[in-house]
Amino acid sequence: MVATASDGEKRQRPPTQHEQNVYKACSLIPEGKVSTYGALATILKSAPRAIGQALKRNPFAPEVPCHRVVSSSLQIGGFNGTWGKTSQVACKKEMLLMEDVAFETEDTVSATSVIPCADLAKLYNLHALSCKQREDC
């Protein structure tokens, strides 16, 4: 994919509230685990593609570990705005392997590496509650 002026502008603008929520939820996925675009969409009352678009614009990587989000089929999915057998997706797989995420096949994550949606939702809700009680969030 060739970056266009509009891509650069999107990456340089401040994150929207939706994107900030996506980044907060994504930050809660522990190392060695993954979640799916669909699970994040469920937690945030959004759509999987909207989650993907927010992660595509992630200006905080790797602190916000967008590489830990995979497709609902548990295939690696896209990375950095690309999909399929690209160097960016290969990089995503390497990052997951370095974090000890298990794989069933070359491009499919093992179900044992998926944090259940309910567990991630609890973490997100606890984080949100904690932020309401503090001023530093």
Side-chain angles (χ1 to χ4, degrees):
M1 181 176 132
V2 176
T4 65
S6 62
D7 287 337
E9 290 168 12
K10 288 178 185 177
R11 289 179 186 254
Q12 291 178 9
R13 65 162 170 70
T16 65
Q17 185 61 53
H18 175 263
E19 290 167 347
Q20 291 176 41
N21 292 340
V22 171
Y23 304 150
K24 284 178 192 169
C26 187
S27 295
L28 299 171
I29 303 168
E31 186 172 318
K33 294 289 184 183
V34 297
S35 187
T36 66
Y37 299 100
L40 289 176
T42 297
I43 292 165
L44 298 174
K45 296 176 178 48
S46 183
R49 288 190 184 219
I51 300 300
Q53 289 299 309
L55 294 177
K56 175 182 171 182
R57 295 182 186 103
N58 178 8
F60 308 111
E63 290 81 18
V64 172
C66 53
H67 64 281
R68 295 183 189 152
V69 182
V70 300
S71 70
S72 294
S73 66
L74 302 186
Q75 290 185 317
I76 295 174
F79 192 59
N80 201 25
T82 68
W83 194 270
K85 295 202 181 284
T86 66
S87 60
Q88 290 94 336
V89 174
C91 179
K92 178 178 181 174
K93 181 179 180 180
E94 267 312 303
M95 293 166 74
L96 293 172
L97 287 170
M98 287 191 305
E99 294 181 353
D100 293 325
V101 170
F103 280 77
E104 288 290 324
T105 67
E106 182 181 344
D107 65 350
T108 304
V109 173
S110 170
T112 61
S113 292
V114 179
I115 184 171
C117 183
D119 292 352
L120 187 57
K122 286 178 191 172
L123 290 173
Y124 184 78
N125 290 332
L126 287 173
H127 176 77
L129 179 62
S130 174
C131 283
K132 286 181 183 176
Q133 296 172 352
R134 299 187 336 235
E135 294 180 17
D136 62 341
C137 287

